[in-house]
Amino acid sequence: CMPWGITRSTASHAALLSLTVPLLMSLFAWPLLGERLRARTGVALGLGLAGAAMASRSELAGHSFDPRLLLGTAAILVATAGNAFYNVGAKRLAPRLGALTVLGGSYLAALPPTLLFAATEPLPPWRADRTVAATLVAVLAAGVVPWGLGMVLWLRVLTRIDAARAAVSIYLLPGFGVALAAAVLGERPPLTTFAGAALAAVATTMATRAPTPSLAAERSPS
């Protein structure tokens, strides 16, 4: 839904809505995991949101509402909510099934609808020429190594701390993106971008170092 929505909306809409993932994770964690949001974690979420917004300033600068983009924006919103729900649900399943099993099962479950969407594209993968095929191989390699390995590590972290505390670290992504763009592409972002990344790092440190017992633990007899 995310790439489908971006092609029918704007990257700025995707950047804006992606900032809601940690907040949505905190909301889903209450009914699904019994985790109650603590004040310190809430403050960290707010600081992380502000920092990520500053780091993503260039993407958000072009944000504007156009009714013609409503369908694409709705797809991005569905993808964002699905991302948050997946993270919280995976946290519940990973301790019993294992992080790699949850991730592999998710990929298999996502394959049929992905192929269905691919069939509606102007150039499906099975009709690609050599240039496009080489690009698809690169996408596959990127998915297996950084995305696949990164998700396994992420799920293992989720099994060790509360979802809201782990969610704050998502606000570090714009900062890493800016750093990679500067190192690989030679881009020179403004100082506010680096300030936002630093603020997100402070928020992540604040959240991960704060004890946040779950609601279920509070109700269990001592």
Side-chain angles (χ1 to χ4, degrees):
C1 285
M2 180 62 76
W4 189 88
I6 291 177
T7 58
R8 290 158 179 79
S9 183
T10 64
S12 62
H13 285 191
L16 180 63
L17 292 176
S18 66
L19 297 180
T20 65
V21 170
L23 302 177
L24 291 174
M25 283 182 62
S26 302
L27 293 178
F28 287 138
W30 169 265
L32 296 180
L33 303 175
E35 295 179 359
R36 184 167 60 186
L37 183 64
R38 293 286 179 169
R40 183 168 179 172
T41 306
V43 172
L45 280 169
L47 291 176
L49 176 60
M54 292 173 63
S56 306
R57 184 177 179 182
S58 59
E59 287 83 2
L60 300 180
H63 178 73
S64 60
F65 178 76
D66 187 338
R68 293 173 297 180
L69 306 178
L70 187 59
L71 182 60
T73 302
I76 295 173
L77 182 60
V78 169
T80 303
N83 187 348
F85 181 82
Y86 174 82
N87 288 332
V88 175
K91 173 179 171 60
R92 184 168 183 171
L93 294 175
R96 291 181 290 173
L97 302 178
L100 191 58
T101 301
V102 172
L103 184 62
S106 302
Y107 280 159
L108 291 177
L111 185 60
T114 300
L115 293 177
L116 181 62
F117 271 97
T120 65
E121 295 293 326
L123 185 62
W126 47 84
R127 292 175 50 195
D129 57 26
R130 291 183 179 180
T131 303
V132 178
T135 303
L136 291 175
V137 171
V139 170
L140 179 62
V144 170
V145 180
W147 178 254
L149 179 60
M151 281 301 298
V152 170
L153 296 175
W154 165 248
L155 292 178
R156 289 185 176 178
V157 169
L158 277 176
T159 62
R160 289 167 170 79
I161 62 176
D162 287 354
R165 294 166 60 192
V168 178
S169 65
I170 295 176
Y171 287 133
L172 292 173
L173 291 178
F176 283 119
V178 168
L180 286 172
V184 178
L185 303 177
E187 297 182 1
R188 294 294 179 265
L191 292 178
T192 53
T193 299
F194 291 102
L199 184 59
V202 170
T204 300
T205 303
M206 178 188 301
T208 54
R209 296 187 63 180
T212 311
S214 66
L215 179 63
E218 290 180 353
R219 289 180 176 176
S220 62
S222 56

